[in-house]
Amino acid sequence: MKFDFDAGYFNPLHTLDCGQTFRFSPYKEGFAVISADKACYVYTAGNKTVVESADCDYFWRYFDLDRDYSEIVDRAGSYNIPLLSRSAQNCKGLRILNQNREEMIFSFIISQNNNIPRIKGIINKICAGLGENVDGKYFAFPTAKVIAAAGAEFFHSAGAGYRDTYLVETGARIAAEGIEKLEKLGGAELKRELLTYKGIGPKVADCIALFGFGKTDSFPVDTWIEKIYREDFGGTLTNRNKISEYLVGLFGEYSGFMQQYLFYGKRLNL
């Protein structure tokens, strides 16, 4: 099964390569993407981006295709911030993904103080070692119960380093409690609650809230955003929490979208 979408507002490379997901790889003319226990092939053909999957409804939502991004791109230009305007226009096919929430919690615990190739490698090892083999084609992301039972040594051997105990302890908590209570919280409340989980600090909490729970009033701040804040906003704050609060105050419910345009645009040197 497959569906297509206007490629002007759905660019697979920009969407997948901007740091919000780690389970994708080049495949044929595009990318193979795995989320939880589902997979798709996404590529651009002419003026359409095509998604092929046995789970088309899932990936329609995953790629946030019910949302009109033309309005978001226009909003980005209204702030009169040159980098943001350039980035939104050049990357208007970048979309915020609706990802599996448990997977995002564990993935972004792994992401802290790490680089993207290494994060992807660690996650691939964890999925190959603990995830269900789906039709002999790929491995699903393991459940919290499986992660909790694996033991810290497994994660250490997979390259997680000091994050090994974070994964086990947070896995045990989620296996015991579930995450239903998190799903009912607003953005600020969700961040506060996520900070009570082992291994989740402010930046990781913002990433989980944005990329896992769709809280677009979140603004993760890393070294790239600090650089942007100083160079493109003329900012003088040095505390990342304060920088995030300032940017959320500026962009409100559009914060997550603007963060991705700014982050990816700076990386591309636009």
Side-chain angles (χ1 to χ4, degrees):
M1 295 182 287
K2 66 181 180 179
F3 62 83
D4 59 50
F5 196 86
D6 176 12
Y9 286 96
F10 182 13
N11 182 309
L13 174 62
H14 291 174
T15 297
L16 297 169
D17 192 42
C18 62
Q20 60 177 322
T21 188
F22 307 107
R23 300 193 70 203
F24 69 95
S25 57
Y27 178 71
K28 294 183 180 179
E29 302 302 315
F31 300 93
V33 179
I34 305 172
S35 175
D37 60 349
K38 298 173 175 60
C40 76
Y41 168 41
V42 57
Y43 59 95
T44 297
N47 63 356
K48 297 291 184 181
T49 291
V50 182
V51 175
E52 298 182 5
S53 177
D55 297 285
C56 284
D57 288 346
Y58 180 90
F59 283 102
W60 181 274
R61 181 181 180 277
Y62 177 87
F63 288 114
D64 202 32
L65 297 178
D66 279 327
R67 193 188 307 267
D68 180 5
Y69 274 67
S70 64
E71 186 268 336
I72 296 168
V73 171
D74 289 344
R75 175 61 67 112
S78 72
Y79 294 105
N80 297 315
I81 299 167
L83 173 63
L84 181 57
S85 298
R86 292 194 306 272
S87 298
Q89 282 300 318
N90 283 281
C91 304
K92 63 183 181 181
L94 189 163
R95 308 184 76 88
I96 300 289
L97 300 173
N98 293 308
Q99 301 184 71
N100 179 273
R101 290 166 175 176
E102 283 193 20
E103 183 173 341
M104 287 300 94
I105 290 171
F106 296 114
S107 295
F108 279 97
I109 288 175
I110 293 167
S111 79
Q112 60 178 287
N113 301 315
N114 220 337
N115 60 66
I116 290 175
R118 192 160 179 271
I119 298 163
K120 293 178 74 170
I122 294 167
I123 291 173
N124 286 340
K125 289 177 183 176
I126 290 171
C127 292
L130 301 178
E132 179 185 353
N133 188 309
V134 182
D135 299 328
K137 296 177 181 177
Y138 61 92
F139 294 97
F141 197 89
T143 64
K145 183 178 180 180
V146 170
I147 287 172
E153 180 54 37
F154 171 82
F155 297 107
H156 197 82
S157 66
Y162 67 88
R163 308 165 194 84
D164 54 3
T165 57
Y166 299 165
L167 293 166
V168 172
E169 290 186 36
T170 293
R173 179 173 171 183
I174 292 174
E177 300 177 357
I179 60 168
E180 290 77 11
K181 66 178 182 179
L182 299 179
E183 296 170 350
K184 300 173 184 177
L185 301 177
E189 291 176 304
L190 175 62
K191 182 175 181 178
R192 285 194 295 272
E193 186 63 23
L194 286 170
L195 289 171
T196 68
Y197 286 74
K198 193 72 171 179
I200 297 181
K203 184 256 184 177
V204 168
D206 278 326
C207 288
I208 295 168
L210 177 58
F211 304 131
F213 290 82
K215 304 301 183 183
T216 60
D217 56 348
S218 303
F219 204 111
V221 175
D222 63 357
T223 54
W224 281 95
I225 296 298
E226 280 191 282
K227 179 180 173 69
I228 290 165
Y229 170 73
R230 290 193 304 270
E231 296 180 355
D232 298 277
F233 289 75
T236 59
L237 295 170
T238 57
N239 181 287
R240 287 188 178 183
N241 290 332
K242 295 294 185 184
I243 294 171
S244 179
E245 289 173 7
Y246 166 78
L247 293 168
V248 170
L250 180 61
F251 297 121
E253 64 180 315
Y254 292 90
S255 294
F257 303 106
M258 303 308 141
Q259 192 268 1
Q260 285 289 272
Y261 291 142
L262 289 165
F263 173 79
Y264 198 56
K266 197 71 164 181
R267 279 181 54 195
L268 295 180
N269 198 30
L270 294 177

